[in-house]
Amino acid sequence: MNKYIFIILFINSISFSQTLKGTVTDSVGVVPFVSILIKEKNNLITQFTTTDNNGKYQILLKNNKDSLFVEVSNLSYEPNIIYLKDYTANNNQITVNFKLNARTTKLKEVIVEKKIPITIKKDTLTYNPENFKDGSEKVVEDLLKKLPGIKVEDNGEIKYRGKAIKKMLLDGDDLFDSQYTIGSKNINVEMIDKVQGIENYEENSLLKGISNSDDVALNLVLKKGKTDFSGNANLGYGYKNMYNSNINGLAINSKIKGFGVSSFNNVGQNSTPYNFDSDIISVENQKNKNLIAKELINQGNFYSFLDDSFHRLNNNFFTSLNILTKAYRKSNLKINTSFYSDKLKRVNENNSSITTNNDVFSIIENNSIKKKPTLFDFNFAYLNNEKEMFHWNYIGKFFYQKTNYNDISSNNSFVQENTVNTKSFLVNQNFSSTYKISDSIALTSNFTYTRSKAPQDLYLTPGTIIDLNNSIISKFQNSTFDKENINLNSSLFLTNKKIKFGLHTSFFKTSTSLISSLNDEFNNSIDKNYKNDNKYDLLHFKMNPVFIFNNKKYSFKIGLNTFYNNISFNNYIKKTKINEDDLLVSPSLTFIYRFNKKNNTSFKYSFNQILPEEDKLFDGIIQRNYRNFASNDFSLQYLKTHSYLINYNFNDYFNLKQFSINLTHDYRENNYFYKSIINQNISISNAYFANIGNKDYGINLSGETYLHPLRTTIQMSSNYSLSFDKNIINNSELRDILGKTFYSQLTARTGFNSKINFSNKISFINNSFEVKKTAIKNNFNSLTDQFKIMYRNNAKNFKVDFISNFISPDLNQNNNYVFLETEISHTPKNKKISYSLIGKNLTNNKTFETKSVSDYSSSISSHNLISRYLMLKVTFGF
Amino acid sequence: MLKINHYKIIVVVFNIVKMKKTLFSILILLSLKTFSQTYEVEYSLEQTAKNINLITNIKAYLKGNGKYSIYEEDFERSRTNSGTDSEIISLNRNPILYKEILEKKIFFKDQIRFNFFDILDSTSVFKWEIQKDTKTILNYKCQKAVCEFRSRKYEVYFTTELTFSDGPWKFYGLPGLILEVYSNDNVATFHFIAEKIKIKNETENIKNPYINKELITFDDYVNIYRKKYDESLYRVVNENGETRPMSKGFREYFIHE
């Protein structure tokens, strides 16, 4: 039975596979490349084919021929239709030839168009978007470190394509202003949809295309459809009494964006925009550098060769709230408030060996420091963008900081208690407007008023003996800088495709006063030489025309800064007054040449003439701490500096190779030099101005490449600098100092597809000082190596990191350190919560000792460290 | 999606030439035989990259004479029209694709990590399967066809009222002009839709912009892509040992694991 069914089926299937073939011709000959359409009765096409070079076609029909018709379709010929039921199959082959007739009517020329209403959709560009693979990034800063062209510095400063970003926007809105580290260090990466890098960032949308902005910015686009309120929390507790907690929340809706963060830790971490313990200027302070009153009294040396997490004994509480809301139709209202409070502790030991012309002696210092800064920062901004061609905004800032500093110091066995109280405040009001005159012309104007005051008090118990007869003892130093600044700026921007021209005019009036007095045990001022009461008024008017030309191959920028200064300096102690009028020009030139996409070079030159800052103009002696005194020989001369920079970049992203070299040279026609007197009890440093040239040279190389056979990325960075300086120590002659620094770092990272990977970073420093025409030479070498082992399991939810740091601060001595730390983390399946176990300073190093040299001293310093601890941390999102 | 609010047709009618004997008709025959129509189509392309949730809207322009066609996607224009200038990768030129339809050759440009290649693709073969659905686009009756091309499934609508075997991007080989293309998978969504069609009764010589360029074959390009893709699987980009693998392809898949 089965055999018969099979045969019937076979016959049936055969009867349906008919082949249709034929030739198409017209009055001239064969017609190649014309379409043959097989259609059904409803005029729908079921199959098609085209004739070949010889006008022949062949097709295997899918359906029964009787239901089909064939159409030859081409715009040059009249349509030709035949019905297959009119033809018979021969051996399951049907032959149909077509004879085409040319179309007699010329085809109508048509333009058919559809009008679509303009829908506003966000247009962002990527040509071939790359996968940003989700790794174990927790906060935005972790994600940013992985993006091409984005670099995150130690203090959290973000650089895009080598330039520091001006802003980090959230969905195009500026919520954080310069305090973007609040966002980058705290926002959960899960909230971020994509990161956009913006070049030629012009905060002012009216200036787009007109001004030449070199600025760059980042924009974080948030995920849509995510809950309106989200955040995450980090709670860590360690043995003994170590805390590290952080909670932050982001609330978004169409009207309001708000971000709040609160953190508390005593493990040395600082995820705030403020920094009190080292020479790294925090992002927040960089912005206000010239506006905020200076502080002359020293508040502790917290410098360390090591990373913060090893040595920064702190007790830090920080909270910040940032709100941005839409006001009216196109305007924004922004409020930022931050509160910061910390308790920093440090124990320093310093043993310096001083070598001057005839003398060699040592200074031994011990310090036990407690520093408590507290600050409050409030910013308010209203941005009005209602009118299309005219935007204006108002920004107000209030900043208050109070620092309480206490140091039990021992200076060659002389013990003193030092207390410094500093209060600093800054008020800033700013009003700006932009008027777009046309597509190629815009005018901006800006008015700012700033007032800042920073009173400081230093109390010493017992006082410091100043003179050789032991008769003058200083107990109390007060010092207050008061600064007021009014600034009016106006800029005109013109553009003409390749050429951009800006004329920047500005007027500012700065008034800085310093009142200081060094008092003895009876709270009387010691004498006139230890007092300051001065007022420095500067009226500055400037016109800076800048001309920019941009072309595919090269671009250049020329600026001719012309300025007029009216200076008045009143010294109320000496009863002198100086007035000066100056008209000066400071030119600058930048030239960039692009060989091709991979290579470019640039050259920059500028000549600057700047007036000394207020901390170089006081001539009364100020006591900075228990043994250091400072003063200046007053001089109102301009510091003239010629700066040169040559740079070459090679960037072959395709072959994953990158290399750059920078050469810098600064030549100063004149400068401030130091006359110092150093003895066992005190050091006095006096800065004086001299028309003596000094200069420095620097060369910097860096590169990166990827070796695929070893699956290893290698990065290298080297720096060599030479400085030619001069100074006077203990009544010597003017000495010529040659300082040389060499720094080199090599990093290798593996990327095996296995569970374990390594990375190693080795660095070497050589520092040397030489005093010419003498035998005085100081030199030291130090070496560090960091080795890291990383284990990740297959599901990528369990990881172990183990880091070892080997440090040899002075290769000539056998005093080496090994620091070990580890972190084990686990994220269970539901993903919302993760656990980590952290162990720091496993070898329990208690102090860290380093060596440093200068042209007159060689010192061994040590400070204490955070003792070994084990911490359990829980992280969860909400 | 696009909303149709307004529909406008401009029809320009040229002289209707009456059939005359001899010379005149032969001339017409000859000129007509050499495909004397030129078509210009403006498409609107919306592409969505799903992994980073990025939607791009641009215009694309196709111009052909039946034998040769040139196709350009206008990323440059949409860049300057956007509210904020924002792109991480900025390419200065629009991608241009040239087709030699009868020879089945496609010339185009693509990049791997910012290194650009001029590619000759002779292996773009579309095995179209015609389906029953129909719709009207811009007053032309269209029928649906589907195919799988380089690991992606496409649905297109083409019209036999315009018998040009062409379409946007690399698409060609149907007995009519493709006016709409749609594709959706877990990497991306593409949607091309014709918004403006212009037919001219003249022959226009469409030059090949790749004529003097150094070309590599599509297979060579895929090999280079594969090599760089392998490198990206192992190259560590930060201190946490993380790698950032390249995508397996976007419009076309180059890696098929």
Side-chain angles (χ1 to χ4, degrees):
Chain A
M1 216 39 180
N2 290 349
K3 240 200 304 194
Y4 294 117
I5 296 174
F6 179 70
I7 293 168
I8 295 166
L9 287 172
F10 190 63
I11 293 167
N12 278 342
S13 60
I14 287 175
S15 66
F16 278 129
S17 30
Q18 296 157 319
T19 306
L20 175 68
K21 59 182 195 146
T23 312
V24 179
T25 54
D26 63 5
S27 54
V28 180
V30 295
V31 182
F33 309 122
V34 76
S35 300
I36 312 284
L37 307 176
I38 314 290
K39 289 185 172 182
E40 291 188 315
K41 287 219 169 65
N42 51 14
N43 209 18
L44 287 181
I45 307 169
T46 60
Q47 290 171 271
F48 75 99
T49 183
T50 46
T51 55
D52 61 12
N53 245 323
N54 300 315
K56 292 197 197 309
Y57 75 92
Q58 180 167 316
I59 185 168
L60 193 67
L61 295 175
K62 284 198 283 196
N63 304 344
N64 192 328
K65 66 165 183 68
D66 292 334
S67 59
L68 305 172
F69 66 94
V70 184
E71 178 179 329
V72 174
S73 161
N74 190 286
L75 285 174
S76 313
Y77 301 98
E78 297 286 349
N80 202 320
I81 302 174
I82 57 104
Y83 290 86
L84 282 184
K85 61 176 174 30
D86 300 335
Y87 290 76
T88 46
N90 220 338
N91 260 351
N92 275 323
Q93 287 201 354
I94 312 159
T95 304
V96 179
N97 296 319
F98 290 88
K99 179 93 191 301
L100 300 178
N101 296 314
R103 231 180 250 265
T104 51
T105 55
K106 227 175 171 176
L107 193 72
K108 292 191 272 242
E109 289 205 356
V110 286
I111 302 173
V112 184
E113 186 173 2
K114 174 154 61 187
K115 269 270 173 350
I116 305 158
I118 302 188
T119 50
I120 300 162
K121 270 198 179 137
K122 223 152 172 229
D123 265 35
T124 355
L125 250 309
T126 49
Y127 184 66
N128 248 338
E130 275 203 304
N131 272 333
F132 294 119
K133 197 170 182 189
D134 259 4
S136 53
E137 312 96 328
K138 299 225 173 70
V139 293
V140 167
E141 198 183 67
D142 299 334
L143 171 65
L144 294 178
K145 282 178 185 171
K146 293 166 75 161
L147 302 179
I150 298 183
K151 183 161 193 266
V152 182
E153 301 286 7
D154 286 332
N155 63 351
E157 186 187 30
I158 300 174
K159 289 196 171 145
Y160 175 60
R161 292 216 164 155
K163 271 183 257 183
I165 63 171
K166 195 145 185 250
K167 297 276 162 89
M168 188 176 83
L169 309 170
L170 213 59
D171 266 347
D173 287 321
D174 182 15
L175 185 60
F176 304 111
D177 199 19
S178 60
Q179 299 167 330
Y180 59 76
T181 48
I182 297 177
S184 57
K185 285 185 190 273
N186 292 298
I187 297 181
N188 191 334
V189 90
E190 287 295 311
M191 299 192 212
I192 307 298
D193 194 20
K194 55 183 181 279
V195 179
Q196 298 167 340
I198 306 172
E199 284 196 293
N200 302 321
Y201 172 66
E202 183 48 71
E203 188 177 347
N204 193 332
S205 59
L206 290 182
L207 288 181
K208 195 169 293 298
I210 305 179
S211 77
N212 186 66
S213 169
D214 275 344
D215 289 336
V216 294
L218 289 186
N219 180 29
L220 305 180
V221 181
L222 303 172
K223 285 197 174 123
K224 317 269 183 286
K226 269 240 163 191
T227 43
D228 289 321
F229 177 74
S230 52
N232 71 343
N234 246 307
L235 299 164
Y237 178 75
Y239 180 79
K240 255 191 204 164
N241 276 335
M242 308 300 277
Y243 304 86
N244 188 354
S245 305
N246 169 300
I247 178 166
N248 65 74
L250 184 65
I252 305 179
N253 76 29
S254 53
K255 276 206 99 198
I256 300 187
K257 279 189 183 66
F259 179 72
V261 64
S262 239
S263 69
F264 173 62
N265 85 85
N266 64 354
V267 292
Q269 277 205 7
N270 183 8
S271 37
T272 75
Y274 311 100
N275 198 317
F276 293 97
D277 55 20
S278 67
D279 289 337
I280 300 174
I281 302 176
S282 69
V283 173
E284 174 63 21
N285 287 344
Q286 233 159 28
K287 205 182 126 195
N288 293 321
K289 217 160 51 130
N290 295 328
L291 301 172
I292 199 163
K294 293 194 198 289
E295 294 171 17
L296 293 174
I297 301 181
N298 185 285
Q299 289 164 94
N301 174 17
F302 289 85
Y303 170 75
S304 176
F305 190 71
L306 303 170
D307 184 68
D308 270 1
S309 59
F310 291 113
H311 73 93
R312 192 168 182 267
L313 283 114
N314 68 347
N315 203 312
N316 176 325
F317 172 69
F318 171 72
T319 183
S320 162
L321 182 65
N322 306 275
I323 299 177
L324 185 144
T325 144
K326 294 254 179 269
Y328 203 49
R329 273 182 290 127
K330 288 194 204 167
S331 302
N332 280 335
L333 197 71
K334 262 198 319 183
I335 299 181
N336 300 67
T337 25
S338 303
F339 174 76
Y340 174 102
S341 145
D342 206 347
K343 290 194 192 89
L344 299 163
K345 288 198 198 146
R346 173 88 157 209
V347 174
N348 278 331
E349 272 175 40
N350 193 36
N351 190 326
S352 298
S353 167
I354 313 287
T355 310
T356 62
N357 286 342
N358 309 312
D359 254 327
V360 178
F361 58 91
S362 60
I363 300 177
I364 301 176
E365 290 167 81
N366 282 326
N367 301 85
S368 183
I369 300 174
K370 287 198 180 91
K371 183 170 179 179
K372 296 185 199 170
T374 309
L375 75 81
F376 175 71
D377 195 352
F378 176 76
N379 296 284
F380 171 84
Y382 174 68
L383 299 105
N384 181 310
N385 297 335
E386 300 301 329
K387 294 215 174 72
E388 215 184 302
M389 292 295 142
F390 181 70
H391 290 174
W392 61 268
N393 65 56
Y394 164 78
I395 301 174
K397 181 186 175 81
F398 175 73
F399 174 85
Y400 174 74
Q401 177 190 312
K402 187 173 104 139
T403 308
N404 192 302
Y405 172 84
N406 188 294
D407 175 13
I408 312 277
S409 64
S410 158
N411 181 10
N412 283 332
S413 305
F414 181 51
V415 177
Q416 292 169 280
E417 180 175 355
N418 309 244
T419 308
V420 180
N421 288 316
T422 309
K423 291 193 183 77
S424 164
F425 86 88
L426 169 69
V427 169
N428 187 315
Q429 317 276 325
N430 173 293
F431 177 84
S432 316
S433 74
T434 308
Y435 177 46
K436 186 168 182 177
I437 300 170
S438 77
D439 267 344
S440 52
I441 307 177
L443 180 69
T444 62
S445 57
N446 187 305
F447 169 77
T448 311
Y449 171 77
T450 310
R451 176 81 194 280
S452 165
K453 197 165 167 177
Q456 292 189 284
D457 289 318
L458 163 66
Y459 292 92
L460 297 155
T461 315
T464 302
I465 303 166
I466 300 180
D467 67 329
L468 299 163
N469 297 331
N470 292 356
S471 59
I472 306 178
I473 298 180
S474 67
K475 279 216 74 159
F476 170 57
Q477 168 81 61
N478 64 28
S479 160
T480 305
F481 262 120
D482 193 332
K483 196 162 182 173
E484 191 181 48
N485 192 308
I486 296 177
N487 191 320
L488 232 105
N489 277 328
S490 185
S491 293
L492 180 70
F493 296 94
L494 296 165
T495 183
N496 168 6
K497 283 191 192 178
K498 290 199 174 159
I499 299 176
K500 287 199 168 93
F501 177 73
L503 180 63
H504 309 279
T505 53
S506 80
F507 163 78
F508 74 69
K509 177 177 184 303
T510 306
S511 227
T512 312
S513 75
L514 171 66
I515 299 182
S516 82
S517 173
L518 182 57
N519 296 350
D520 60 18
E521 318 170 281
F522 306 105
N523 212 5
N524 293 327
S525 159
I526 290 175
D527 75 37
K528 273 203 318 188
N529 293 325
Y530 296 87
K531 269 176 96 151
N532 280 301
D533 188 350
N534 63 41
K535 191 151 182 282
Y536 178 28
D537 286 304
L538 174 64
L539 228 78
H540 168 98
F541 179 73
K542 142 180 126 177
M543 262 200 152
N544 189 3
V546 177
F547 174 81
I548 300 168
F549 176 78
N550 268 323
N551 177 303
K552 207 172 131 188
K553 272 277 181 186
Y554 60 89
S555 53
F556 60 82
K557 178 171 167 180
I558 298 175
L560 230 83
N561 192 359
T562 310
F563 55 96
Y564 165 76
N565 281 334
N566 176 302
I567 312 160
S568 149
F569 192 89
N570 268 309
N571 187 328
Y572 296 114
I573 307 281
K574 295 211 166 111
K575 306 227 188 333
T576 58
K577 181 168 175 174
I578 297 181
N579 272 329
E580 205 177 292
D581 277 302
D582 300 299
L583 182 67
L584 298 162
V585 180
S586 275
S588 68
L589 164 72
T590 305
F591 177 72
I592 303 175
Y593 183 72
R594 299 168 199 102
F595 297 99
N596 52 35
K597 273 211 175 70
K598 296 183 192 169
N599 297 286
N600 64 53
T601 182
S602 69
F603 169 73
K604 270 197 187 133
Y605 165 74
S606 66
F607 175 59
N608 288 306
Q609 303 188 70
I610 26 183
L611 280 172
E613 298 201 330
E614 56 266 28
D615 57 351
K616 288 279 186 299
L617 294 176
F618 65 89
D619 59 4
I621 299 175
I622 287 194
Q623 181 163 8
R624 307 192 64 187
N625 71 7
Y626 54 97
R627 66 165 286 137
N628 284 302
F629 295 78
S631 76
N632 305 294
D633 278 356
F634 175 82
S635 166
L636 264 184
Q637 305 252 39
Y638 289 86
L639 290 155
K640 302 184 183 172
T641 312
H642 298 265
S643 303
Y644 301 87
L645 166 69
I646 297 179
N647 156 285
Y648 168 73
N649 279 317
F650 170 74
N651 202 323
D652 185 1
Y653 189 46
F654 181 68
N655 287 316
L656 298 169
K657 285 190 213 305
Q658 185 248 323
F659 174 72
S660 75
I661 178 168
N662 281 316
L663 291 148
T664 58
H665 169 52
D666 282 331
Y667 174 68
R668 287 167 280 271
E669 290 181 17
N670 48 32
N671 203 359
Y672 277 91
F673 299 95
Y674 291 87
K675 270 188 297 223
S676 306
I677 295 188
I678 307 175
N679 63 39
Q680 290 206 297
N681 296 335
I682 60 178
S683 306
I684 308 176
S685 174
N686 179 299
Y688 68 97
F689 180 88
N691 274 320
I692 302 173
N694 72 335
K695 56 192 181 218
D696 55 54
Y697 297 91
I699 176 168
N700 174 298
L701 281 101
S702 71
E704 178 176 323
T705 181
Y706 171 68
L707 301 172
H708 190 55
L710 298 174
R711 306 284 192 264
T712 303
T713 306
I714 297 181
Q715 288 167 327
M716 178 277 294
S717 165
S718 290
N719 228 313
Y720 181 67
S721 64
L722 277 170
S723 83
F724 297 86
D725 204 355
K726 295 179 207 290
N727 66 19
I728 296 176
I729 305 267
N730 285 355
N731 296 317
S732 68
E733 301 209 322
L734 186 65
R735 312 166 341 145
D736 281 306
I737 318 282
L738 172 61
K740 296 189 216 172
T741 306
F742 174 70
Y743 169 78
S744 183
Q745 184 183 91
L746 184 71
T747 310
R749 284 196 263 268
T750 68
F752 306 127
N753 215 359
S754 66
K755 298 182 188 168
I756 299 189
N757 270 301
F758 310 98
S759 99
N760 191 68
K761 177 160 48 167
I762 183 163
S763 9
F764 172 73
I765 301 178
N766 170 290
N767 218 325
S768 78
F769 283 93
E770 199 184 298
V771 183
K772 298 263 180 200
K773 295 187 202 155
T774 70
I776 301 175
K777 271 190 198 183
N778 276 322
N779 171 303
F780 83 98
N781 300 310
S782 82
L783 182 77
T784 61
D785 184 282
Q786 183 191 85
F787 181 69
K788 187 168 171 177
I789 302 177
M790 293 166 279
Y791 168 82
R792 305 269 179 283
N793 70 347
N794 281 329
K796 298 252 190 276
N797 69 345
F798 179 76
K799 73 170 187 174
V800 179
D801 280 345
F802 182 77
I803 305 175
S804 104
N805 272 301
F806 168 78
I807 303 173
S808 176
D810 182 1
L811 284 173
N812 287 333
Q813 310 231 335
N814 217 354
N815 191 11
N816 305 324
Y817 293 86
V818 176
F819 287 88
L820 298 177
E821 56 187 286
T822 180
E823 178 168 347
I824 302 172
S825 349
H826 174 59
T827 307
K829 296 287 177 185
N830 71 2
K831 262 245 174 157
K832 271 236 158 195
I833 189 166
S834 77
Y835 304 92
S836 319
L837 185 66
I838 300 162
K840 272 284 219 200
N841 196 359
L842 297 174
T843 49
N844 209 8
N845 291 305
K846 299 272 203 273
T847 57
F848 181 71
E849 189 179 283
T850 45
K851 181 171 171 174
S852 66
V853 297
S854 74
D855 53 283
Y856 63 88
S857 69
S858 165
S859 315
I860 296 189
S861 326
S862 75
H863 61 80
N864 58 346
L865 301 168
I866 300 178
S867 358
R868 168 172 59 196
Y869 68 87
L870 218 63
M871 173 178 278
L872 178 66
K873 203 156 95 158
V874 175
T875 306
F876 56 92
F878 49 84
Chain B
M1 288 302 236
L2 307 158
K3 283 194 189 132
I4 303 172
N5 272 2
H6 198 119
Y7 190 70
K8 187 168 144 188
I9 302 176
I10 304 168
V11 171
V12 176
V13 178
F14 268 70
N15 39 319
I16 297 169
V17 178
K18 281 271 174 197
M19 171 125 84
K20 293 258 164 92
K21 318 247 177 339
T22 60
L23 266 162
F24 200 57
S25 55
I26 295 171
L27 272 172
I28 291 174
L29 262 170
L30 286 172
S31 62
L32 287 174
K33 194 153 189 221
T34 56
F35 300 91
S36 63
Q37 276 94 31
T38 307
Y39 53 92
E40 285 180 26
V41 187
E42 184 180 304
Y43 294 91
S44 164
L45 162 61
E46 180 178 291
Q47 72 181 26
T48 306
K50 290 189 177 171
N51 62 342
I52 55 176
N53 207 8
L54 166 64
I55 302 175
T56 311
N57 277 298
I58 54 165
K59 293 259 178 281
Y61 304 93
L62 176 67
K63 180 167 166 177
N65 59 17
K67 275 191 182 169
Y68 304 109
S69 75
I70 197 157
Y71 170 77
E72 180 174 345
E73 286 175 0
D74 201 356
F75 284 90
E76 226 168 83
R77 202 35 143 10
S78 44
R79 187 182 305 150
T80 51
N81 279 344
S82 66
T84 51
D85 249 15
S86 42
E87 68 250 23
I88 299 177
I89 302 163
S90 104
L91 304 174
N92 291 322
R93 284 156 294 172
N94 287 332
I96 293 182
L97 194 136
Y98 184 83
K99 291 192 198 80
E100 287 181 5
I101 299 172
L102 305 177
E103 287 92 332
K104 294 194 177 39
K105 284 188 185 166
I106 298 179
F107 299 81
F108 71 107
K109 196 184 205 82
D110 207 342
Q111 56 98 354
I112 299 171
R113 281 208 295 257
F114 309 115
N115 217 41
F116 287 89
F117 297 93
D118 292 317
I119 307 165
L120 166 54
D121 184 355
S122 329
T123 59
S124 292
V125 175
F126 295 88
K127 293 200 178 65
W128 296 107
E129 188 195 300
I130 311 249
Q131 292 193 346
K132 293 198 185 346
D133 306 60
T134 60
K135 67 156 60 159
T136 305
I137 299 174
L138 286 178
N139 242 16
Y140 289 102
K141 290 202 196 68
C142 301
Q143 190 168 346
K144 185 173 173 182
V146 299
C147 77
E148 185 171 317
F149 176 64
R150 301 223 169 106
S151 301
R152 180 170 263 123
K153 293 193 171 60
Y154 293 93
E155 290 172 14
V156 311
Y157 282 89
F158 68 98
T159 174
T160 50
E161 294 179 43
L162 298 169
T163 61
F164 306 109
S165 182
D166 201 356
W169 192 52
K170 291 189 180 181
F171 300 107
Y172 72 101
L174 278 168
L177 195 57
I178 300 173
L179 299 184
E180 183 173 3
V181 178
Y182 178 72
S183 171
N184 180 18
D185 73 352
N186 59 353
V187 167
T189 302
F190 295 99
H191 185 227
F192 293 82
I193 178 91
E195 289 183 342
K196 184 169 167 182
I197 301 176
K198 190 168 171 182
I199 308 286
K200 295 197 284 198
N201 269 333
E202 56 196 46
T203 323
E204 214 175 298
N205 186 11
I206 299 179
K207 291 205 180 120
N208 184 349
Y210 293 90
I211 198 88
N212 285 321
K213 305 265 172 127
E214 224 180 275
L215 298 162
I216 61 166
T217 68
F218 187 74
D219 291 329
D220 285 343
Y221 177 76
V222 174
N223 285 332
I224 298 174
Y225 195 96
R226 197 163 280 142
K227 199 170 100 175
K228 295 297 163 187
Y229 175 79
D230 280 340
E231 277 180 18
S232 75
L233 293 176
Y234 301 100
R235 179 179 160 247
V236 165
V237 292
N238 67 6
E239 300 99 45
N240 282 331
E242 267 130 18
T243 58
R244 204 155 39 83
M246 282 164 64
S247 71
K248 292 185 182 175
F250 189 62
R251 240 181 246 181
E252 307 174 271
Y253 289 104
F254 304 114
I255 311 288
H256 299 281
E257 282 99 54

